[in-house]
């Protein structure tokens, strides 16, 4: 796999990972990260991955995180989003909450962010294509927003939708996917404390190519579940259609849990290439978060519900 090393980005614009880590450990020791830091249990945070022979999880360099992206609204190449999303307007931004909820409304992004506490979470992201990264996200639990809008007892799923604006998103001028991009989670998955809405990474606002102003991060699922540029949440009693499932139903299922035992029809999912590393790693069940999420799938045939 080719990983482009861009020499045209001024060094001053690149966060030095070591400086970042020093500042970060300062924040952690001064307790500003809140409850998670106080318990020493930031999920997946800078610890060796569960299988220690694989070595520790180092943060993926900021430059790779922000120049090697999938965001088909800005093109299908890995470097297209960084090149084409620069002038994307992320303010003002509103998010519609619809369907089986007691408080449906169109919320300003600021209204959504005001009551929540942003915290840092270092999560692995594992793309279905076989590469992975380790990213320090800034965000808040999706559950905080869901609790606030109060789903009714009929709500079983939540559907997410990306902005549809072909004038700003050149990729949407071609029928690569059935625009707008949509994704979905079962309500218990959406309420799981590991599922977050991210507003930033590396202590900075989210770059447009990474999904600004708000994107989902569900670390035990393949990267494509992490929908970017979210403008709508709709609560339903039926499993929602998802963009990738519509495009290739035999390749991308609704659940899309990271699973080294279930191959993609065209390639194995047993290993992954951590961006920046040479040797491939074994892919871990549920991307290594199984101790926290596996019970949600107890009794389910994960080959059938891929
Ligand atoms: N709206 C939208 N969201 C998207 C995508 C996309 O094409 N459009 N690509 C997905 C895929 S395939 C991956 S792997 C992740 C990549 O996130 P990253 O660029 O922050 O690493 O975003 C996901 N979210
Ligand atoms: Mo992906």
């Amino acid at each position: 796999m080719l990983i482009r090393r861009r020499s045209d980005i001024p060094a001053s614009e690149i966060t030095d990972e070591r400086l970042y880590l020093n500042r970060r450990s300062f924040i952690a020791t001064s307790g500003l990260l809140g409850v998670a830091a106080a318990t020493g249990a930031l999920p997946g945070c800078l610890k060796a991955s569960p299988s220690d022979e694989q070595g520790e999880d180092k943060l993926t360099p900021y430059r790779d995180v922000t120049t090697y992206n999938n965001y088909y609204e800005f093109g299908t190449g890995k470097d297209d989003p960084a090149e084409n999303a620069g002038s994307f307007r992320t303010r003002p931004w509103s998010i519609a909450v619809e369907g089986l909820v007691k408080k449906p409304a169109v919320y300003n992004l600021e209204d959504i962010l005001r009551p929540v506490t942003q915290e840092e979470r270092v999560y692995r992201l594992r793309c279905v294509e076989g590469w992975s990264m380790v990213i320090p996200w800034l965000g808040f639990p999706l559950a905080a927003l869901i609790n606030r809008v109060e789903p009714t007892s009929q709500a079983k799923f939540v559907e997410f939708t990306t902005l549809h604006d072909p004038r700003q998103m050149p990729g949407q001028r071609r029928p690569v996917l059935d625009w707008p991009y949509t994704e979905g989670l079962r309500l218990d998955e959406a309420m799981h404390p590991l599922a977050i809405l991210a507003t930033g990474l590396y202590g900075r606002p989210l770059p447009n190519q990474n999904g600004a102003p708000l994107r989902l991060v569900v670390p035990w699922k393949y990267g494509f579940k992490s929908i970017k540029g979210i403008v709508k949440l709709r609560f339903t009693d039926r499993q929602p259609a998802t963009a990738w499932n519509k495009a290739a139903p035999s390749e991308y299922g609704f659940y899309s849990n990271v699973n080294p035992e279930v191959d993609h029809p065209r390639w194995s999912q047993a290993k992954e290439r951590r961006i920046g590393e040479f040797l491939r790693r074994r892919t871990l069940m549920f991307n290594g978060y199984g101790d926290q999420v596996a019970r949600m799938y107890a009794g389910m045939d994960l080959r059938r519900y891929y």
Side-chain angles (χ1 to χ4, degrees):
M1 177 183 311
L2 181 75
I3 300 162
R4 214 166 61 124
R5 295 272 159 204
R6 286 173 52 151
S7 50
D8 50 301
I9 301 176
S12 58
E13 285 186 14
I14 299 168
T15 302
D16 182 297
E17 283 76 45
R18 279 161 310 169
L19 280 181
Y20 172 77
L21 283 173
N22 287 340
R23 188 177 59 74
R24 189 180 171 286
S25 59
F26 167 76
I27 293 173
T29 49
S30 56
L32 294 176
L33 284 177
V35 191
T39 61
L42 282 179
C45 176
L46 303 178
K47 285 182 307 201
S49 45
S51 57
D52 278 331
E53 83 273 13
Q54 308 216 86
E56 64 177 316
D57 275 341
K58 287 206 209 68
L59 295 181
T60 303
Y62 181 82
R63 183 173 50 181
D64 293 329
V65 173
T66 57
T67 58
Y68 191 86
N69 302 103
N70 271 339
Y71 198 170
Y72 276 24
E73 285 83 343
F74 293 101
T76 55
K78 297 284 179 275
D79 42 12
D80 288 340
E83 264 163 31
N84 300 331
S87 56
F88 181 60
R89 289 189 305 275
T90 59
R91 294 291 190 290
W93 191 273
S94 52
I95 295 174
V97 176
E98 300 177 357
L100 302 172
V101 275
K102 294 185 189 137
K103 296 181 181 163
V106 177
Y107 294 87
N108 289 323
L109 180 62
E110 283 67 29
D111 290 341
I112 287 180
L113 299 183
R114 201 173 303 115
V116 299
T117 308
Q118 303 262 353
E119 48 185 284
E120 181 163 87
R121 305 275 189 97
V122 177
Y123 284 162
R124 294 176 288 272
L125 180 141
R126 201 309 192 163
C127 177
V128 75
E129 295 165 90
W131 49 270
S132 63
M133 298 190 188
V134 183
I135 300 173
W137 299 104
L138 195 64
F140 60 92
L142 170 59
L145 174 58
I146 294 179
N147 284 331
R148 186 172 158 204
V149 302
E150 296 181 30
T152 69
S153 57
Q154 284 93 56
K156 297 286 177 292
F157 297 91
V158 53
E159 176 195 70
F160 303 83
T161 305
T162 295
L163 179 69
H164 186 243
D165 186 355
R167 279 178 312 148
Q168 289 203 81
M169 295 172 137
Q172 289 179 336
R173 293 172 210 155
R174 286 176 292 129
V176 182
L177 289 171
D178 184 10
W179 310 114
Y181 195 104
T182 61
E183 257 307 336
L185 295 173
R186 222 169 52 190
L187 198 55
D188 60 324
E189 299 178 310
M191 291 296 291
H192 192 283
L194 283 181
I196 59 170
L197 288 169
T199 60
L201 51 81
Y202 269 107
R204 301 174 165 199
L206 207 54
N208 293 343
Q209 59 269 34
N210 293 84
L214 197 68
R215 56 107 32 103
L216 182 65
V217 183
V218 193
W220 69 95
K221 293 182 182 277
Y222 289 115
F224 65 89
K225 298 296 282 186
S226 305
I227 182 171
K228 299 174 172 180
I230 297 169
V231 292
K232 184 161 63 173
L233 273 68
R234 191 170 65 91
F235 292 80
T236 67
D237 54 0
R238 301 227 180 108
Q239 184 174 298
T242 67
W244 281 105
N245 181 244
K246 280 192 274 181
S250 65
E251 303 190 8
Y252 310 109
F254 176 79
Y255 283 94
S256 302
N257 293 316
V258 174
N259 189 340
E261 286 157 26
V262 177
D263 292 342
H264 183 281
R266 291 184 282 137
W267 58 79
S268 162
Q269 293 291 23
K271 292 196 164 180
E272 66 197 58
R273 184 165 324 275
R274 183 67 52 81
I275 297 296
E277 290 180 358
F278 180 67
L279 293 173
R280 293 205 298 161
R281 293 171 172 250
R282 282 190 306 110
T283 286
L284 302 173
M285 189 65 202
F286 297 114
N287 204 21
Y289 301 95
D291 54 343
Q292 295 164 82
V293 303
R295 73 172 69 91
M296 289 192 290
Y297 310 101
M300 276 175 68
D301 176 355
L302 297 180
R303 286 185 181 275
R304 175 153 181 231
Y305 299 100
Y306 57 97

